[in-house]
Amino acid sequence: GCEYGILSTVEHTEDDGTIFRMIKLRNPWGHARSDWVGPYSNRDTAGWARQGLRAACGKASFDDDGTPA
């Protein structure tokens, strides 16, 4: 087994009332080998289009940094 480290949590409400509850995890297996590639991953530029959510989560880039977002 393995353990994912919780790096941060964020609750953000968009202007339209949409509430996002996000958890940022550290992948213990390394970078590209098993990174999450679904919604709000480093590859999901469409999901991160909401600028308020990106700012609240501290998502400045889409680089592979070992975290899913």
Side-chain angles (χ1 to χ4, degrees), residues 26-39:
R26 171 69 62 190
N27 178 356
W29 292 100
H31 297 294
R33 189 176 108 187
S34 59
D35 266 359
W36 170 252
V37 294

Side-chain angles (χ1 to χ4, degrees), residues 23-27 35-36 39-43 48 59 65-69:
I23 300 173
K24 185 174 187 177
L25 302 172
R26 171 69 62 190
N27 178 356
D35 266 359
W36 170 252
Y40 301 102
S41 67
N42 287 330
R43 298 179 188 177
W48 286 110
K59 183 68 174 166
D65 60 359
T67 63

